[in-house]
Amino acid sequence: MQYGRVQEIELLERLKGNDCQFCTDGSLVPGEYKGNSAVLCQSCQTPAVQLW
């Protein structure tokens, strides 16, 4: 299934602020991971989602 750009942005926005599932200290923030739009932990930098 392909998503349009609007759905991608909505997905990233929904995850913003959630607790990181990989560490105990961080929360998710929008950013970039390996050149792709992503939501990653502000503490451990692990991506929860990346889009390409």
Side-chain angles (χ1 to χ4, degrees):
M1 171 184 264
Q2 288 212 328
Y3 291 95
R5 185 69 181 142
V6 172
Q7 287 87 4
E8 291 176 353
I9 292 169
E10 287 175 2
L11 173 63
L12 298 177
E13 285 295 316
R14 282 185 183 192
L15 294 172
K16 182 171 71 173
N18 287 355
D19 291 337
C20 178
Q21 300 298 306
F22 302 99
C23 74
T24 57
D25 297 329
S27 61
L28 302 178
V29 295
E32 215 174 83
Y33 184 77
K34 295 188 178 183
N36 299 318
S37 295
V39 176
L40 32 112
C41 176
Q42 46 82 342
S43 182
C44 70
Q45 299 300 305
T46 302
V49 169
Q50 71 171 309
L51 305 172
W52 56 92

